[in-house]
Each structure stands twice: as C-alpha cells, then as structure tokens.
Amino acid sequence: MDLTRQFDISDDGGEHDDYVQIHCELRYECEPALDALGSFNSWFFHDANAGLDEWLAAMQGHLEPLLARGPSEIDVYEEPV
C-alpha cells in the first residue's frame, strides 16, 4: 500500500513553483486474502464533493484485510512531480 501526500511548493514570492509527493509504502507478505485486494487508486481532494468521512469509510472497506496485519517493510521517500 502506498500512502501519498502531495504538497504545493511556493517560490519566495508565494507563487506556485512545483509539487512534491511524499510516499509511505507499506509492504505485506503475500497472502491470498491480500492478493484478492487487487490494485486500485483513490485520491481525496478537500474541494471535492465527497467529504473526508465518506472517503475514509470507502477506504476502510477496501483495506479491511490489512487492519489485522503489520507490514513486513516500510519505505518513505520523496518524489518530485
């Protein structure tokens, strides 16, 4: 699972300069229940029509098999966009 947060980088004048993404990858041992999750992407935007609570509820449904497990590896890194 890759949790990603995107930040807007401003120049000295306060104008948009760039974006940067910070990733936190949680890796789990292979198991049939986790393989069944497949692959999907979901982003939350504060100015979107759906609220954060709705988005979190949808994510919890997708990620239920991970809640009782701990990751086998964690990797945090920065990526320019």
Side-chain angles (χ1 to χ4, degrees), residues 38-57:
S39 177
F40 68 92
N41 290 309
S42 182
W43 289 81
F44 176 79
F45 296 94
H46 287 284
D47 58 354
N49 291 334
L52 181 58
D53 290 338
E54 293 174 64
W55 181 82
L56 288 173

Side-chain angles (χ1 to χ4, degrees), residues 2-5 21-25 75-79:
D2 182 355
L3 304 169
T4 305
R5 177 69 165 96
Q21 291 181 345
I22 305 298
H23 295 261
C24 178
E25 287 185 1
D75 187 21
V76 178
Y77 62 93
E78 177 183 320
E79 176 182 22

